[in-house]
Amino acid sequence: MLTRAMTVFYIILCFAMGLVLLLAPWFSSWTNNFFTHHYLWVDALARNDYLRGSISGLGLADVGLGFYETSRFFRQPRAPDSARSIPSEPPLSAPR
C-alpha cells in the first residue's frame, strides 16, 4: 500500500514540476525580479530565449515522464489481498 502511495506522489510531483518548468520561463516574473535587477549577468541569462527553451524542454520531458509513470502504474497487476496482509508464521507440524 505504501509503495502505491509513493508512486502516486511521484506521479503528481512529476506533473507539477514539469508544468512549472514548462511555463515559468515565459512569465514576466522570470525577468522582473530581485536577481535580474541587481545582477546584469543574471538578466542576460533570463532573457536568453535558448535558455528559456531548454528549461521548457526539461519541463516537457518531466510531464512526459509523468504520463509514462501513470501508464506503468495502471498496467502493473495488483497483489491479491492475502499478499498484502502481514505474513504470519508457518504452522507448526505435528510431532511424530
Side-chain angles (χ1 to χ4, degrees):
M1 181 69 176
L2 182 62
T3 306
R4 293 184 67 79
M6 293 283 287
T7 304
V8 169
F9 175 73
Y10 178 66
I11 290 170
I12 292 170
L13 184 69
C14 283
F15 279 119
M17 284 178 41
L19 286 176
V20 167
L21 288 173
L22 184 66
L23 299 175
W26 306 106
F27 286 120
S28 63
S29 60
W30 182 261
T31 55
N32 296 328
N33 58 49
F34 171 80
F35 298 105
T36 58
H37 291 300
H38 285 38
Y39 303 104
L40 293 178
W41 64 275
V42 174
D43 185 52
L45 279 177
R47 294 183 189 280
N48 187 341
D49 288 334
Y50 292 108
L51 181 68
R52 286 178 169 190
S54 62
I55 292 173
S56 290
L58 285 174
L60 189 61
D62 208 10
V63 169
L65 180 64
F67 280 119
Y68 172 74
E69 290 294 333
T70 302
S71 69
R72 278 190 57 217
F73 179 74
F74 286 114
R75 276 188 292 163
Q76 72 185 18
R78 290 188 176 183
D81 288 334
S82 62
R84 290 185 196 160
S85 64
I86 299 172
S88 60
E89 294 183 16
L92 296 174
S93 58
R96 296 185 180 164

